[in-house]
Amino acid sequence: MTEVKVEKLKEFNQEILERLVEIYMRGYEGMREYGGEGEGYAKRYLRWCWNKAKDGFFIAKLGDEIAGFIVCDNDWYSKYEGRTVGAIHEFVVDKRFQGHGIGHKLMEKCLDYLRKYNDRIELWVGEKNEGAMRFYEEHSFRKVGQSGIWVRMVKDVHDKG
Ligand code: ACO
């Protein structure tokens, strides 16, 4: 596979939004209940992500093509923690490219970024999304609770200085 590069998303235009929606829709194929009700939802949600966490919106590129992305928010008020923590709002790799280590590269970038600002990271994952939960456990996230169909996972991080 061509070399994967992870970089910060610099601008959020219509063409990029459409590519991100495509990755998102394809990524959640077979898990519709966790990916919203369709493209309209995906567009609104990804715009919300961009507005909330521009600085931590990372993409993986294979040549010129965006292959996946992760949205890392260093200023998320968690009502479960009662304080501000880091959060991963969204994380998807194009179905065609899953299982080749792109997710791990995106996660490393995200952790390096968030540990500069936060000592804890929170995320929510669908209760039947075994693959993603296994992935997060490999990165030392642990399950700490559940609300409806969503499982809350957290990881403690430390700035390397
Ligand atoms: N079956 C088995 N293992 C899986 C699966 C699956 N369907 N999905 C993920 N994994 C895990 C395995 O533990 C595997 O571990 P290994 O490295 O020891 O083999 C690892 O993921 C694979 O690592 P990568 O190849 O680096 O991961 P990938 O590029 O496939 O990206 C991701 C992982 C983002 C979870 C991808 O599978 C995906 O897009 N899934 C659909 C969307 C999704 O569920 N996103 C997370 C939702 S929660 C949130 O966004 C906060």
Side-chain angles (χ1 to χ4, degrees):
M1 196 189 267
T2 328
E3 204 202 331
V4 181
K5 282 199 185 129
V6 174
E7 57 188 57
K8 199 175 275 198
L9 182 60
K10 293 176 201 84
E11 59 164 337
F12 194 80
N13 57 35
Q14 194 58 29
E15 192 187 332
I16 286 170
L17 177 58
E18 272 162 28
R19 174 66 186 132
L20 297 179
V21 167
E22 188 179 51
I23 294 169
Y24 181 90
M25 297 303 292
R26 218 181 262 165
Y28 281 103
E29 243 161 36
M31 295 191 284
R32 229 13 338 131
E33 69 263 49
Y34 305 137
E37 78 272 15
E39 285 194 19
Y41 168 86
K43 276 192 181 163
R44 285 194 302 280
Y45 176 53
L46 293 173
R47 270 201 202 99
W48 177 86
C49 283
W50 174 249
N51 288 323
K52 179 70 184 80
K54 280 185 185 61
D55 192 48
F57 201 125
F58 298 103
I59 55 172
K61 286 185 97 174
L62 276 175
D64 286 338
E65 187 172 23
I66 301 177
F69 59 96
I70 191 162
V71 184
C72 319
D73 187 351
N74 66 34
D75 185 28
W76 179 246
Y77 182 79
S78 165
K79 63 176 182 181
Y80 295 85
E81 301 286 332
R83 66 186 180 103
T84 299
V85 295
I88 298 176
H89 291 312
E90 196 48 67
F91 178 36
V92 199
V93 169
D94 188 318
K95 203 147 208 164
R96 287 178 298 154
F97 305 126
Q98 285 178 14
H100 290 91
I102 296 175
H104 286 304
K105 285 201 169 153
L106 281 164
M107 181 55 75
E108 273 165 36
K109 187 77 171 183
C110 168
L111 297 176
D112 283 347
Y113 171 74
L114 288 179
R115 64 162 50 97
K116 287 192 233 148
Y117 305 93
N118 309 109
D119 60 6
R120 179 164 282 193
I121 303 174
E122 168 180 291
L123 63 83
W124 292 84
V125 55
E127 64 181 349
K128 293 193 205 117
N129 194 347
E130 305 289 347
M133 280 190 273
R134 202 155 48 238
F135 179 98
Y136 292 132
E137 276 168 350
E138 275 178 43
H139 285 272
S140 309
F141 281 84
R142 56 185 201 281
K143 296 175 189 166
V144 290
Q146 182 149 358
S147 176
I149 61 170
W150 301 101
V151 173
R152 190 166 85 93
M153 298 184 83
V154 300
K155 173 183 168 73
D156 292 324
V157 285
H158 305 282
D159 194 354
K160 286 176 183 157

